[in-house]
Each structure stands twice: as structure tokens, then as C-alpha cells.
Amino acid sequence: MEIINYFVGENTKIMVVGDVNQSIYAWRGSSPEIMLKSFPDRYQPTEYQSSQTFRFSSKLAEASNNLIAHNKSRFEFDCVSASGTPDTKVHILQRGVLL
């Protein structure tokens, strides 16, 4: 956000793409709060939700949704796999052992 703030003037229109559920770079200054609060407070953006993913199947989407639901800082929507997306293998490990 610091880079965006540096380059954006008063009449500048910008488009950014991000996924608060993939804000994993806290060690580099990232935080879900940037996308959830700081950015909207400063730029009053129009938000568009990506309705489907073509990257993985519904089996992995369901597993991801169940895990991500525990995040306190998130947008309230689930990942949905597009119909016809090839199956994705999901393996469950417990203490490093494949179940």
C-alpha cells in the first residue's frame, strides 16, 4: 500500500487485485487489515468478487473454505470452483503420515 500511496495522485484511478485469504506475508509488513480497512478508508474502492476459481476443484475449495472460515479478518464469501474444473487430489496428513 505504501508503493500505491507514493504513485497515486488525487485524480488517479487505480485497480488492484488481491485476496485477503492469501495475506501470508506478515513478515514483510502485509496484513489482512490493509485490504479490509486501510485501503477502503483511503480510496473508497468499488469491490468486485471473483465468483469462481478455475485453479482447483470443488473438493479443494471445500477444504479451503473450512480452514479459512476460522480467520477472524476476512471477507465473508466462500471460494467456489467452476464447473468442469478437473479434480484436484487432496491428501490428509496427520503428524506427517498420509491418512
Side-chain angles (χ1 to χ4, degrees), residues 15-58:
M15 179 177 186
V16 297
V17 177
D19 182 348
V20 72
N21 293 322
Q22 295 185 35
S23 297
I24 61 173
Y25 297 104
W27 53 275
R28 295 183 79 185
S30 179
S31 165
E33 295 306 317
I34 293 170
M35 202 176 307
L36 292 167
K37 180 143 179 51
S38 302
F39 190 85
D41 285 353
R42 178 160 179 153
Y43 295 106
Q44 297 80 43
T46 301
E47 295 176 10
Y48 301 95
Q49 178 182 343
S50 179
S51 60
Q52 299 178 342
T53 183
F54 297 89
R55 295 173 60 196
F56 47 80
S57 70
S58 59

Side-chain angles (χ1 to χ4, degrees), residues 3 8 10 20 25-26 32 34 44 48 60 62 75 90-92:
I3 293 171
V8 172
E10 283 190 34
V20 72
Y25 297 104
I34 293 170
Q44 297 80 43
Y48 301 95
L60 184 56
E62 182 180 346
F75 293 117
V90 176
H91 301 280
I92 300 173

